[in-house]
Amino acid sequence: MGGSGMDGTKSVGQHTGGKRRAGAGPGTGTGVEVRPVAGHIGAEITGVDLADEPGDAVITAIRAAVLRWKVVFFRGQRLDHAGHVALARRFGEPVALPRRGKASPPGFPEIETTADRLELGGRFGMEHDEWLRRRRHTLVRGWHCDHGARIDPPAATILRAQTVPPYGGDTTWSNLAAAYAGLSAPVREFADRLRAEHRLGVGYLPRSGDDAYVRQLLDHQTASEHPLVRVHPETGERVLFVNGYYVEQITGLSRPESRAILEMLLEQATRPEYTVRFRWEPGSVAFWDNRATIHLAPGDTAHLDHPRIMHRVMLAGEVPVGTDGRPSEPITGTAPGRW
Protein backbone atom coordinates (compact mmCIF):
# COMPACT_ATOMS: atom_id res chain seq x y z
CA MET A 1 0.00 0.00 0.00
CA GLY A 2 2.28 2.65 -1.25
CA GLY A 3 5.64 1.62 0.20
CA SER A 4 6.53 1.18 3.87
CA GLY A 5 3.90 -0.16 6.18
CA MET A 6 5.34 -3.24 7.79
CA ASP A 7 5.51 -1.68 11.28
CA GLY A 8 3.46 -3.96 13.45
CA THR A 9 2.63 -6.44 10.69
CA LYS A 10 4.36 -9.31 12.43
CA SER A 11 2.49 -8.98 15.69
CA VAL A 12 -0.92 -8.77 14.00
CA GLY A 13 0.03 -11.40 11.41
CA GLN A 14 0.71 -13.98 14.10
CA HIS A 15 -2.89 -13.83 15.26
CA THR A 16 -5.12 -16.61 13.93
CA GLY A 17 -8.55 -15.88 15.32
CA GLY A 18 -10.74 -14.33 17.96
CA LYS A 19 -10.78 -10.73 19.10
CA ARG A 20 -7.69 -8.61 19.60
CA ARG A 21 -6.67 -5.00 19.78
CA ALA A 22 -4.91 -3.78 16.68
CA GLY A 23 -2.93 -1.59 19.09
CA ALA A 24 -1.20 -4.59 20.66
CA GLY A 25 1.86 -3.65 18.63
CA PRO A 26 2.55 -0.11 17.45
CA GLY A 27 -1.06 0.96 17.90
CA THR A 28 -1.07 0.56 21.69
CA GLY A 29 -3.47 2.99 23.29
CA THR A 30 -5.38 3.75 20.11
CA GLY A 31 -8.62 2.10 21.21
CA VAL A 32 -8.85 0.43 17.82
CA GLU A 33 -10.08 -3.17 17.83
CA VAL A 34 -9.70 -5.72 15.02
CA ARG A 35 -12.25 -8.54 15.06
CA PRO A 36 -11.62 -11.29 12.48
CA VAL A 37 -14.83 -12.42 10.82
CA ALA A 38 -13.70 -15.48 8.83
CA GLY A 39 -10.96 -18.05 9.18
CA HIS A 40 -8.64 -16.88 6.40
CA ILE A 41 -9.77 -13.40 5.41
CA GLY A 42 -11.65 -10.37 6.67
CA ALA A 43 -11.80 -8.36 9.88
CA GLU A 44 -14.08 -5.66 11.22
CA ILE A 45 -12.35 -2.64 12.76
CA THR A 46 -14.05 -0.60 15.48
CA GLY A 47 -13.03 2.30 17.64
CA VAL A 48 -12.00 4.65 14.82
CA ASP A 49 -13.69 7.57 13.07
CA LEU A 50 -12.16 7.64 9.60
CA ALA A 51 -13.38 11.21 9.00
CA ASP A 52 -11.59 12.50 12.09
CA GLU A 53 -8.00 12.50 10.73
CA PRO A 54 -6.82 9.33 12.53
CA GLY A 55 -3.39 9.58 14.13
CA ASP A 56 -0.30 7.78 12.87
CA ALA A 57 -0.67 4.92 15.36
CA VAL A 58 -4.22 4.25 14.14
CA ILE A 59 -3.12 4.35 10.50
CA THR A 60 -0.32 1.90 11.30
CA ALA A 61 -2.76 -0.43 13.03
CA ILE A 62 -5.18 -0.33 10.10
CA ARG A 63 -2.37 -0.97 7.61
CA ALA A 64 -1.21 -3.98 9.61
CA ALA A 65 -4.75 -5.35 9.75
CA VAL A 66 -5.17 -4.97 5.98
CA LEU A 67 -1.92 -6.83 5.34
CA ARG A 68 -2.87 -9.60 7.77
CA TRP A 69 -6.57 -10.03 6.95
CA LYS A 70 -6.52 -8.78 3.30
CA VAL A 71 -9.82 -6.89 3.64
CA VAL A 72 -11.09 -4.89 6.61
CA PHE A 73 -14.53 -3.39 7.24
CA PHE A 74 -15.73 -0.27 9.01
CA ARG A 75 -19.36 0.54 9.78
CA GLY A 76 -21.19 3.78 10.52
CA GLN A 77 -18.58 6.05 8.94
CA ARG A 78 -19.34 9.63 7.81
CA LEU A 79 -16.74 10.15 5.08
CA ASP A 80 -17.50 12.64 2.33
CA HIS A 81 -15.61 12.81 -0.97
CA ALA A 82 -12.82 15.01 0.39
CA GLY A 83 -12.42 12.86 3.49
CA HIS A 84 -12.35 9.71 1.40
CA VAL A 85 -9.45 11.00 -0.70
CA ALA A 86 -7.63 12.37 2.35
CA LEU A 87 -7.88 8.99 4.08
CA ALA A 88 -6.54 7.20 1.01
CA ARG A 89 -3.51 9.50 0.94
CA ARG A 90 -2.51 8.26 4.38
CA PHE A 91 -1.89 4.84 2.87
CA GLY A 92 -0.49 5.63 -0.59
CA GLU A 93 -1.03 7.65 -3.74
CA PRO A 94 -4.62 7.70 -4.99
CA VAL A 95 -5.05 7.01 -8.70
CA ALA A 96 -6.52 9.90 -10.70
CA LEU A 97 -8.70 8.34 -13.37
CA PRO A 98 -8.79 10.05 -16.79
CA ARG A 99 -12.12 8.43 -17.72
CA ARG A 100 -15.01 8.02 -15.31
CA GLY A 101 -18.74 7.54 -15.60
CA LYS A 102 -21.22 10.39 -15.33
CA ALA A 103 -22.20 9.42 -11.79
CA SER A 104 -18.68 10.13 -10.47
CA PRO A 105 -18.30 13.43 -8.61
CA PRO A 106 -16.73 16.39 -10.45
CA GLY A 107 -13.68 17.86 -8.78
CA PHE A 108 -12.53 14.53 -7.36
CA PRO A 109 -10.72 12.63 -10.15
CA GLU A 110 -9.61 10.00 -7.60
CA ILE A 111 -13.19 8.89 -6.92
CA GLU A 112 -15.11 6.57 -9.20
CA THR A 113 -18.79 6.11 -8.42
CA THR A 114 -20.22 2.68 -9.19
CA ALA A 115 -23.93 3.30 -9.58
CA ASP A 116 -24.85 -0.13 -10.89
CA ARG A 117 -28.25 0.57 -12.42
CA LEU A 118 -27.51 4.09 -13.66
CA GLU A 119 -24.85 3.79 -16.37
CA LEU A 120 -24.30 0.49 -18.15
CA GLY A 121 -27.63 0.31 -19.94
CA GLY A 122 -27.27 3.63 -21.71
CA ARG A 123 -23.53 3.36 -22.20
CA PHE A 124 -23.41 0.01 -24.00
CA GLY A 125 -27.03 -0.49 -25.04
CA MET A 126 -27.96 -3.20 -22.56
CA GLU A 127 -29.69 -3.47 -19.22
CA HIS A 128 -27.69 -4.28 -16.12
CA ASP A 129 -28.98 -7.87 -15.87
CA GLU A 130 -27.84 -8.59 -19.43
CA TRP A 131 -24.45 -7.06 -18.63
CA LEU A 132 -24.08 -9.45 -15.70
CA ARG A 133 -25.12 -12.47 -17.78
CA ARG A 134 -22.54 -11.68 -20.44
CA ARG A 135 -19.78 -10.82 -17.99
CA ARG A 136 -20.42 -13.89 -15.81
CA HIS A 137 -21.33 -16.66 -18.20
CA THR A 138 -19.35 -19.15 -16.08
CA LEU A 139 -19.37 -19.54 -12.30
CA VAL A 140 -15.93 -17.91 -11.81
CA ARG A 141 -15.98 -15.20 -14.50
CA GLY A 142 -17.07 -12.39 -12.19
CA TRP A 143 -14.14 -12.85 -9.80
CA HIS A 144 -11.44 -10.23 -10.35
CA CYS A 145 -8.90 -7.90 -8.85
CA ASP A 146 -9.25 -4.24 -9.83
CA HIS A 147 -7.59 -3.42 -13.18
CA GLY A 148 -5.73 -6.73 -13.35
CA ALA A 149 -4.84 -6.31 -17.03
CA ARG A 150 -2.64 -3.31 -16.22
CA ILE A 151 1.11 -3.69 -15.83
CA ASP A 152 0.73 -2.16 -12.34
CA PRO A 153 -2.66 -3.09 -10.87
CA PRO A 154 -3.73 -0.94 -7.91
CA ALA A 155 -2.20 -1.86 -4.57
CA ALA A 156 -5.43 -1.39 -2.65
CA THR A 157 -9.00 -0.16 -2.91
CA ILE A 158 -11.13 1.77 -0.43
CA LEU A 159 -14.85 1.47 -1.18
CA ARG A 160 -17.60 3.27 0.74
CA ALA A 161 -21.34 2.80 0.53
CA GLN A 162 -23.67 5.74 0.07
CA THR A 163 -26.95 4.02 -0.83
CA VAL A 164 -27.60 0.28 -0.70
CA PRO A 165 -30.67 -1.95 -1.14
CA PRO A 166 -32.43 -3.05 2.04
CA TYR A 167 -31.35 -6.60 1.20
CA GLY A 168 -28.92 -8.14 -1.31
CA GLY A 169 -25.91 -6.44 -2.80
CA ASP A 170 -23.21 -8.20 -0.74
CA THR A 171 -19.58 -8.30 -1.93
CA THR A 172 -17.34 -11.36 -1.49
CA TRP A 173 -13.53 -11.46 -1.30
CA SER A 174 -11.06 -14.35 -1.48
CA ASN A 175 -7.56 -14.61 0.03
CA LEU A 176 -5.14 -15.55 -2.77
CA ALA A 177 -2.22 -16.10 -0.40
CA ALA A 178 -4.23 -18.70 1.53
CA ALA A 179 -5.36 -20.25 -1.76
CA TYR A 180 -1.73 -20.62 -2.87
CA ALA A 181 -0.69 -22.10 0.48
CA GLY A 182 -3.56 -24.58 0.22
CA LEU A 183 -2.21 -26.12 -3.00
CA SER A 184 -0.14 -29.29 -2.78
CA ALA A 185 3.63 -28.76 -2.87
CA PRO A 186 4.11 -30.18 -6.41
CA VAL A 187 1.38 -27.90 -7.80
CA ARG A 188 2.85 -24.88 -6.01
CA GLU A 189 6.27 -25.61 -7.50
CA PHE A 190 4.72 -25.98 -10.96
CA ALA A 191 2.72 -22.76 -10.68
CA ASP A 192 5.77 -20.83 -9.42
CA ARG A 193 7.37 -21.19 -12.85
CA LEU A 194 4.40 -20.09 -14.96
CA ARG A 195 3.28 -16.77 -16.38
CA ALA A 196 -0.07 -15.80 -17.88
CA GLU A 197 -1.57 -13.18 -20.15
CA HIS A 198 -4.13 -10.92 -18.48
CA ARG A 199 -6.35 -9.05 -20.93
CA LEU A 200 -9.28 -6.70 -20.44
CA GLY A 201 -12.61 -8.25 -21.39
CA VAL A 202 -11.54 -11.91 -21.59
CA GLY A 203 -14.53 -13.02 -19.54
CA TYR A 204 -17.13 -11.20 -21.63
CA LEU A 205 -19.51 -13.19 -23.85
CA PRO A 206 -20.25 -10.99 -26.93
CA ARG A 207 -23.71 -10.27 -28.24
CA SER A 208 -24.66 -11.39 -31.72
CA GLY A 209 -24.52 -8.55 -34.22
CA ASP A 210 -23.41 -5.13 -33.11
CA ASP A 211 -21.90 -4.96 -29.61
CA ALA A 212 -20.85 -1.55 -28.30
CA TYR A 213 -18.86 -3.07 -25.45
CA VAL A 214 -16.80 -5.24 -27.81
CA ARG A 215 -16.02 -2.12 -29.84
CA GLN A 216 -14.93 -0.42 -26.63
CA LEU A 217 -12.62 -3.33 -25.79
CA LEU A 218 -11.08 -3.37 -29.27
CA ASP A 219 -10.50 0.38 -29.18
CA HIS A 220 -8.90 0.27 -25.72
CA GLN A 221 -6.91 -2.96 -25.61
CA THR A 222 -5.09 -3.50 -22.32
CA ALA A 223 -2.97 -6.60 -21.67
CA SER A 224 0.03 -7.66 -19.58
CA GLU A 225 1.96 -10.84 -18.89
CA HIS A 226 2.02 -11.46 -15.15
CA PRO A 227 3.57 -14.24 -13.07
CA LEU A 228 1.01 -16.85 -12.11
CA VAL A 229 2.41 -16.59 -8.58
CA ARG A 230 3.50 -13.13 -7.44
CA VAL A 231 5.49 -12.23 -4.34
CA HIS A 232 3.72 -9.68 -2.18
CA PRO A 233 5.97 -6.59 -1.96
CA GLU A 234 5.19 -5.94 1.73
CA THR A 235 4.52 -9.29 3.38
CA GLY A 236 6.71 -11.51 1.18
CA GLU A 237 3.81 -13.97 0.82
CA ARG A 238 3.38 -15.92 -2.38
CA VAL A 239 0.04 -15.10 -3.98
CA LEU A 240 -1.88 -17.14 -6.56
CA PHE A 241 -2.32 -14.38 -9.16
CA VAL A 242 -5.40 -15.62 -11.01
CA ASN A 243 -8.92 -14.33 -11.57
CA GLY A 244 -11.88 -15.14 -13.77
CA TYR A 245 -12.22 -11.86 -15.62
CA TYR A 246 -8.74 -11.05 -16.95
CA VAL A 247 -6.62 -14.22 -17.25
CA GLU A 248 -6.69 -15.46 -20.84
CA GLN A 249 -3.83 -17.89 -21.41
CA ILE A 250 -0.90 -19.43 -19.53
CA THR A 251 2.22 -18.58 -21.51
CA GLY A 252 3.85 -21.50 -23.30
CA LEU A 253 0.99 -23.95 -22.80
CA SER A 254 -1.50 -25.13 -25.37
CA ARG A 255 -5.06 -23.86 -25.15
CA PRO A 256 -6.43 -27.16 -23.73
CA GLU A 257 -3.60 -27.39 -21.18
CA SER A 258 -4.02 -23.76 -20.16
CA ARG A 259 -7.80 -24.06 -19.86
CA ALA A 260 -7.59 -27.14 -17.63
CA ILE A 261 -4.94 -25.68 -15.32
CA LEU A 262 -6.66 -22.31 -15.03
CA GLU A 263 -9.96 -24.01 -14.22
CA MET A 264 -8.29 -25.93 -11.42
CA LEU A 265 -6.51 -22.85 -10.03
CA LEU A 266 -9.61 -20.67 -10.24
CA GLU A 267 -11.60 -23.32 -8.41
CA GLN A 268 -8.90 -23.29 -5.73
CA ALA A 269 -8.86 -19.49 -5.52
CA THR A 270 -12.62 -19.26 -4.95
CA ARG A 271 -13.12 -22.12 -2.50
CA PRO A 272 -15.57 -20.98 0.21
CA GLU A 273 -13.08 -21.47 3.05
CA TYR A 274 -10.83 -18.77 1.59
CA THR A 275 -13.64 -16.21 1.28
CA VAL A 276 -15.56 -13.64 3.30
CA ARG A 277 -18.89 -11.99 2.42
CA PHE A 278 -19.85 -8.50 3.58
CA ARG A 279 -23.31 -7.05 4.06
CA TRP A 280 -23.25 -3.36 3.18
CA GLU A 281 -25.00 -0.55 5.04
CA PRO A 282 -24.94 3.19 4.28
CA GLY A 283 -21.67 4.48 5.75
CA SER A 284 -19.88 1.12 5.48
CA VAL A 285 -16.29 1.14 4.21
CA ALA A 286 -14.26 -1.81 2.90
CA PHE A 287 -10.49 -1.50 2.48
CA TRP A 288 -8.76 -4.36 0.70
CA ASP A 289 -5.34 -5.39 -0.53
CA ASN A 290 -5.83 -5.67 -4.29
CA ARG A 291 -2.53 -7.57 -4.62
CA ALA A 292 -3.63 -10.48 -2.44
CA THR A 293 -7.37 -10.76 -3.11
CA ILE A 294 -9.98 -11.15 -5.79
CA HIS A 295 -13.57 -10.11 -5.22
CA LEU A 296 -17.01 -10.75 -6.61
CA ALA A 297 -19.43 -7.85 -6.94
CA PRO A 298 -23.08 -8.71 -6.26
CA GLY A 299 -25.25 -10.26 -8.92
CA ASP A 300 -28.50 -10.36 -6.98
CA THR A 301 -29.75 -6.77 -7.24
CA ALA A 302 -30.62 -6.30 -10.94
CA HIS A 303 -34.27 -7.22 -10.32
CA LEU A 304 -34.55 -5.00 -7.23
CA ASP A 305 -35.97 -1.52 -7.57
CA HIS A 306 -33.36 -0.03 -5.23
CA PRO A 307 -30.20 1.92 -6.13
CA ARG A 308 -26.78 0.79 -5.00
CA ILE A 309 -24.34 3.72 -5.06
CA MET A 310 -20.73 3.16 -4.00
CA HIS A 311 -17.63 5.38 -4.19
CA ARG A 312 -14.19 3.89 -4.88
CA VAL A 313 -10.64 5.19 -4.47
CA MET A 314 -7.71 3.03 -5.61
CA LEU A 315 -4.08 3.35 -4.53
CA ALA A 316 -1.29 3.19 -7.10
CA GLY A 317 0.42 -0.20 -7.18
CA GLU A 318 3.69 -1.80 -8.12
CA VAL A 319 4.63 -3.95 -11.11
CA PRO A 320 4.16 -7.56 -9.89
CA VAL A 321 7.25 -9.72 -9.43
CA GLY A 322 7.35 -13.51 -9.64
CA THR A 323 9.10 -16.02 -7.43
CA ASP A 324 12.10 -15.89 -9.78
CA GLY A 325 12.43 -12.12 -9.35
CA ARG A 326 11.18 -11.41 -12.86
CA PRO A 327 8.65 -8.57 -13.15
CA SER A 328 5.51 -8.48 -15.24
CA GLU A 329 5.77 -7.21 -18.79
CA PRO A 330 3.30 -5.00 -20.68
CA ILE A 331 1.78 -6.37 -23.88
CA THR A 332 -0.41 -3.51 -25.07
CA GLY A 333 -2.13 -0.38 -23.83
CA THR A 334 -0.47 -0.09 -20.42
CA ALA A 335 2.59 1.49 -18.83
CA PRO A 336 3.59 1.88 -15.15
CA GLY A 337 1.96 4.89 -13.56
CA ARG A 338 0.11 5.91 -16.71
CA TRP A 339 -3.67 5.72 -16.51
Side-chain angles (χ1 to χ4, degrees):
M1 286 171 286
S4 63
M6 290 302 296
D7 292 346
T9 302
K10 183 176 180 180
S11 62
V12 175
Q14 290 173 335
H15 178 56
T16 58
K19 171 183 172 182
R20 76 166 290 153
R21 286 189 179 274
T28 299
T30 63
V32 176
E33 291 188 351
V34 179
R35 299 186 178 96
V37 294
H40 287 288
I41 180 174
E44 185 166 330
I45 296 182
T46 60
V48 57
D49 182 348
L50 297 176
D52 194 28
E53 299 185 3
D56 290 345
V58 172
I59 294 299
T60 297
I62 294 172
R63 184 191 298 270
V66 173
L67 292 174
R68 168 62 181 90
W69 292 105
K70 313 311 180 194
V71 57
V72 299
F73 309 113
F74 306 83
R75 294 195 181 276
Q77 298 297 316
R78 51 187 181 88
L79 284 172
D80 57 13
H81 293 322
H84 193 168
V85 175
L87 175 69
R89 290 193 186 282
R90 303 291 299 279
F91 295 95
E93 183 61 33
V95 171
L97 296 168
R99 294 180 300 275
R100 299 179 299 155
K102 294 179 181 178
S104 297
F108 296 94
E110 305 91 347
I111 295 179
E112 186 173 30
T113 298
T114 59
D116 290 351
R117 296 177 60 87
L118 302 181
E119 292 199 47
L120 290 177
R123 190 173 176 188
F124 298 119
M126 67 184 82
E127 295 299 326
H128 186 59
D129 55 350
E130 181 184 355
W131 163 264
L132 286 178
R133 288 197 306 271
R134 296 190 176 281
R135 190 181 180 204
R136 303 180 183 181
H137 57 92
T138 72
L139 292 177
V140 297
R141 278 302 186 192
W143 287 93
H144 66 286
C145 63
D146 287 333
H147 292 274
R150 286 186 52 85
I151 186 62
D152 55 347
T157 298
I158 303 176
L159 183 67
R160 63 184 169 97
Q162 175 182 320
T163 303
V164 298
Y167 51 89
D170 299 355
T171 303
T172 307
W173 289 263
S174 184
N175 181 341
L176 296 179
Y180 172 82
L183 292 168
S184 65
V187 175
R188 290 198 304 268
E189 293 169 6
F190 177 58
D192 285 346
R193 302 193 300 268
L194 299 176
R195 296 170 71 86
E197 179 180 319
H198 295 231
R199 183 175 292 271
L200 179 62
V202 166
Y204 178 73
L205 183 66
R207 291 172 125 190
S208 58
D210 183 63
D211 191 317
Y213 186 62
V214 168
R215 294 202 310 272
Q216 168 81 2
L217 292 174
L218 293 175
D219 290 342
H220 300 89
Q221 284 284 292
T222 304
S224 302
E225 185 186 77
H226 292 306
L228 200 61
V229 177
R230 70 176 292 186
V231 178
H232 195 286
E234 294 190 67
T235 67
E237 294 172 295
R238 294 189 177 191
V239 176
L240 185 60
F241 195 19
V242 296
N243 65 80
Y245 193 58
Y246 292 112
V247 183
E248 179 171 32
Q249 170 78 26
I250 298 178
T251 305
L253 272 59
S254 69
R255 282 284 182 178
E257 291 170 335
S258 176
R259 183 167 55 251
I261 292 170
L262 283 175
E263 182 178 350
M264 181 268 290
L265 294 177
L266 286 167
E267 182 178 287
Q268 171 74 3
T270 57
R271 286 174 60 166
E273 58 262 43
Y274 302 133
T275 68
V276 64
R277 180 166 177 155
F278 184 62
R279 177 71 181 272
W280 293 97
E281 301 168 349
S284 295
V285 174
F287 182 178
W288 67 90
D289 188 336
N290 195 55
R291 303 161 298 190
T293 62
I294 50 177
H295 60 278
L296 182 66
D300 62 347
T301 60
H303 64 291
L304 303 179
D305 190 24
H306 297 285
R308 182 177 183 273
I309 302 175
M310 320 287 282
H311 304 289
R312 177 177 71 173
V313 175
M314 298 177 294
L315 301 180
E318 314 85 354
V319 175
V321 174
T323 61
D324 58 358
R326 182 182 167 196
S328 300
E329 298 179 1
I331 296 174
T332 185
T334 181
R338 186 180 304 167
W339 284 77

